[in-house]
C-alpha cells in the first residue's frame, strides 16, 4: 500500500473561529487565553471570537466601529479595559476573578 505524501503547504490553515460554536466554547477558550496573562493574546482571542460571531454584529452591539474593532483586536494591540469590557458584553461573556490556587 502506497501512501501519498502531503506537503505542508497543502494542509488547511487552522482557524480557531471555526471551533467556537457556542457560548460555552467561547467562555472556555477565553478563560484559557486569560490564564496566559498576555494582553495582546487576549486581544487576538477576542478578535477571533468576534470573527466567529460576526465582526459587524459585535461592532454594532459593542458600539465600536468595525474598523476600530479590527484595530483594537489585532494580535499586537493592547486594548483598553473599556474596549475589552464592551466586546465581552457584546459577545455575551463576562470576565470574572477567581482566587489563584496555591
Amino acid at each position: 500500500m502506497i501512501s501519498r505524501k502531503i506537503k505542508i503547504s497543502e494542509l488547511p490553515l487552522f482557524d480557531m473561529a471555526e471551533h467556537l460554536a457556542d457560548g460555552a466554547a467561547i467562555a472556555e477558550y477565553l478563560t484559557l487565553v486569560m490564564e496566559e496573562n498576555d494582553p495582546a493574546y487576549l486581544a487576538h482571542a477576542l478578535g477571533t471570537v468576534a470573527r466567529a460571531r460576526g465582526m459587524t454584529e459585535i461592532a454594532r452591539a459593542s458600539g465600536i466601529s468595525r474598523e476600530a474593532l479590527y484595530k483594537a483586536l489585532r494580535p499586537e494591540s493592547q486594548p483598553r479595559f473599556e474596549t475589552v469590557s464592551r466586546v465581552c458584553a457584546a459577545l455575551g461573556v463576562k470576565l470574572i476573578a477567581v482566587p489563584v490556587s496555591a
Side-chain angles (χ1 to χ4, degrees):
M1 183 171 174
I2 299 174
S3 61
R4 180 178 168 258
K5 289 188 178 184
I6 298 174
K7 295 179 183 178
I8 291 176
S9 62
E10 295 174 350
L11 293 173
L13 293 176
F14 178 80
D15 184 1
M16 187 64 183
E18 295 173 5
H19 303 278
L20 300 172
D22 58 32
I26 290 169
E28 184 175 356
Y29 173 58
L30 291 176
T31 298
L32 290 171
V33 166
M34 287 188 299
E35 288 176 0
E36 296 296 319
N37 201 27
D38 181 346
Y41 189 35
L42 177 58
H44 174 69
L46 287 170
T48 299
V49 175
R51 278 190 309 106
R53 287 281 176 97
M55 193 64 83
T56 301
E57 178 59 33
I58 298 307
R60 184 177 13 248
S62 67
I64 301 170
S65 75
R66 192 168 177 265
E67 295 78 19
L69 199 57
Y70 272 112
K71 185 177 179 181
L73 301 180
R74 63 180 186 244
E76 63 277 355
S77 70
Q78 292 193 11
R80 295 185 341 222
F81 181 75
E82 177 188 3
T83 302
V84 171
S85 180
R86 289 168 67 180
V87 170
C88 284
L91 293 170
V93 297
K94 63 181 176 179
L95 303 178
I96 60 168
V98 295
V100 176
S101 53

